[in-house]
Amino acid sequence: MSAAVNSRSGPSQAERAYLTLRDLILTLQLPPGAPVPEEPLTGELGIGRTPFREAVKRLESESLVAIYPRRGTFVTEVNITDHALIADVRRRLEGHAARRAAERATDAERAELDELRVLVEDLSGDQPVIMDVDARVHRAIYRCTHNRYLESTLGQYYNLALRIWHLFFDRLPNVAEHVGEHAELLKAITAGDADRADRIAVAHVDHFEKSIRQAI
């Protein structure tokens, strides 16, 4: 679980603490219901108490941890009945984000998305590799919308969906094929085909939601 951080140039300590704790939660290294103790984690991660507490408050606002007075902080449980609600939001916003990315991405961003497309088309490997590529694609698309509110909102809902995906990964068939669907989405965005990008993104969310329901 080690992931030392320092105060040199780059993200702030609070941002690094947030990203580290977020990823530990999303990958189930801090599983649902687990305590998030300040004392051992600040030492293990090499961060101060203030950045740690700022990160925890941010994670609380994103429904990834719950803070209980006099009891401590705990990773939130995964309520699988929430999955359909999360998918309902993502179905609307993922299509919109793909549309805006197709309309607004810069030339440099389109080149970045095309590099990700090549990576997706050659995708192979185990769970961490597959999940990392999926996260990189989604977060790159959100960034290409040039709408920080949309990026932030979708990032939160994607994180909730990603934790569910990690939880059921071993029960899902053809996960690499599912992530491979991003190739056509990335092609549509880099080509500036907003309508097609929108349709593909919505279909991708539908496919994911159906796969999870079948795995439960």
Side-chain angles (χ1 to χ4, degrees):
M1 198 182 290
S2 296
V5 296
N6 56 50
S7 58
R8 292 183 295 181
S9 61
S12 67
Q13 274 210 353
E15 179 71 10
R16 293 185 186 202
Y18 163 76
L19 292 173
T20 301
L21 289 172
R22 181 199 70 184
D23 289 346
L24 291 174
I25 291 169
L26 297 184
T27 59
L28 308 182
Q29 294 179 69
L30 282 173
V36 185
E38 179 179 297
E39 199 62 45
L41 281 174
T42 51
E44 188 173 343
L45 302 178
I47 57 177
R49 291 184 177 182
T50 298
F52 180 88
R53 290 171 184 174
E54 290 177 11
V56 166
K57 290 297 292 182
R58 186 171 168 186
L59 292 166
E60 182 189 32
S61 73
E62 297 178 359
S63 303
L64 290 174
V65 304
I67 301 173
Y68 299 100
R70 296 182 297 278
R71 286 185 55 203
T73 300
F74 296 83
V75 178
T76 53
E77 297 287 352
V78 173
N79 186 346
I80 200 59
T81 60
D82 286 344
H83 176 64
L85 303 178
I86 294 168
D88 188 46
V89 176
R90 293 186 66 225
R91 189 178 291 109
R92 293 291 184 180
L93 294 185
E94 290 281 356
H96 183 62
R99 175 177 293 277
R100 288 292 181 257
E103 294 169 343
R104 298 175 176 174
T106 65
D107 289 343
E109 288 169 340
R110 291 179 200 276
E112 177 190 353
L113 294 178
D114 199 51
E115 290 176 1
L116 284 173
R117 175 191 58 79
V118 173
L119 188 62
V120 167
E121 289 179 338
D122 293 336
L123 186 64
S124 61
D126 55 11
Q127 178 178 350
V129 173
I130 293 171
M131 303 301 276
D132 177 66
V133 170
D134 187 79
R136 288 174 62 185
V137 169
H138 278 281
R139 288 172 180 150
I141 292 172
Y142 304 159
R143 191 172 66 253
C144 289
T145 66
H146 294 273
N147 181 332
R148 65 183 183 278
Y149 301 106
L150 180 59
E151 180 182 358
S152 175
T153 300
L154 262 175
Q156 178 179 345
Y157 282 99
Y158 174 73
N159 288 339
L160 295 172
L162 186 60
R163 188 162 68 130
I164 292 172
W165 197 357
H166 273 284
L167 194 63
F168 288 95
F169 188 93
D170 292 339
R171 303 189 205 176
L172 299 174
N174 304 318
V175 176
E177 181 181 316
H178 176 73
V179 177
E181 294 173 1
H182 288 318
E184 292 303 314
L185 173 59
L186 293 168
K187 285 180 185 178
I189 293 174
T190 55
D193 192 339
D195 289 341
R196 185 162 181 266
D198 191 330
R199 290 194 302 271
I200 294 172
V202 172
H204 181 74
V205 174
D206 284 339
H207 183 194
F208 175 68
E209 199 270 338
K210 181 180 179 181
S211 296
I212 294 294
R213 277 193 284 109
Q214 291 175 339
I216 296 173

